[in-house]
Amino acid sequence: KMLSRWWDMRNSTLGRLWGAVDDLCVLMPSHLPGREWCQFRKLVLRYCLLSYELTFMQAQGEDASVDELVEWRLLTEDEADMLRNEPSKPQVVWAWVAGMFSNAHRQGRICNVVLRLFYTKCMDARGGIGATFAYLDTQLPFMYVHLLACLVHAANLIAAMDAGTSAAHYVMDSTDVGGQAPK
């Protein structure tokens, strides 16, 4: 049960984000082919990688500084300035990606059906990020924490009894029946 819950959590969070990025990498060359869209595809991929890094940074409480991401060339200075004061930076990046697809649609480069497909992938990625933080920011139920604490105490008690019994056997084995230590 515990493993299936972990696997479900993994698939609905980072797995969902990963799947959306993979799907976009497959769909973009099909619907936006050729050299004229190469920079567009590279920018979307950079934003996808950026969203991963920002997700991990936010999960570790290190999302305040985006300057390191500029050094890694995942962000430009202008993009860093736009992100600096945003509360959920990885989700903002997916709004940028959706905006890029919207612009391509306005230019007549992709039809409504393809735009909806790209929007769905952007929303899947954003949803995966949101689910990640829902898990991280939600306190475990008290009964579950209490059960874990009881199990830890029981394990410690058993380990102490085992150590005490082993020590007693050692002491008893090292002395003879008359209470004298063997020579």
Side-chain angles (χ1 to χ4, degrees):
K1 183 82 173 156
M2 180 77 79
L3 187 60
S4 67
R5 184 177 186 282
W6 172 84
W7 188 251
D8 289 342
M9 184 182 75
R10 183 242 175 251
N11 282 336
S12 67
T13 58
L14 294 176
R16 189 171 170 192
L17 174 60
W18 186 276
V21 170
D22 283 352
D23 290 349
L24 282 178
C25 288
V26 169
L27 292 169
M28 282 192 304
S30 301
H31 296 284
L32 300 168
R35 290 186 180 271
E36 65 185 294
W37 290 98
C38 186
Q39 287 303 110
F40 181 93
R41 292 190 307 261
K42 285 181 180 178
L43 182 58
V44 170
L45 180 58
R46 179 169 64 84
Y47 284 165
C48 291
L49 296 174
L50 173 63
S51 75
Y52 268 112
E53 190 59 38
L54 287 169
T55 299
F56 293 122
M57 287 175 73
Q58 184 175 333
Q60 295 170 353
E62 300 172 359
D63 65 326
S65 174
V66 293
D67 297 327
E68 187 176 37
L69 300 174
V70 173
E71 291 174 22
W72 295 351
R73 296 176 29 194
L74 285 174
L75 273 176
T76 65
E77 286 290 341
D78 291 339
E79 293 165 345
D81 289 340
M82 288 188 288
L83 269 183
R84 202 163 261 117
N85 296 319
E86 295 296 330
S88 185
K89 295 170 180 60
Q91 294 185 47
V92 170
V93 171
W94 283 100
W96 295 353
V97 173
M100 292 172 62
F101 290 124
S102 178
N103 287 338
H105 176 260
R106 276 195 296 268
Q107 295 171 6
R109 301 304 301 223
I110 57 177
C111 67
N112 289 340
V113 173
V114 173
L115 177 63
R116 181 174 292 159
L117 179 63
F118 284 138
Y119 276 171
T120 300
K121 297 305 172 188
C122 291
M123 300 316 297
D124 280 347
R126 196 228 46 85
I129 294 167
T132 298
F133 294 116
Y135 276 108
L136 291 176
D137 297 339
T138 302
Q139 181 177 337
L140 288 173
F142 179 73
M143 289 177 61
Y144 181 70
V145 174
H146 185 71
L147 174 65
L148 287 177
C150 288
L151 289 173
V152 168
H153 287 294
N156 286 341
L157 180 63
I158 291 169
M161 288 181 357
D162 182 52
T165 304
S166 295
H169 282 286
Y170 177 75
V171 168
M172 292 301 288
D173 290 343
S174 66
T175 61
D176 69 356
V177 180
Q180 297 291 329
K183 294 187 183 194

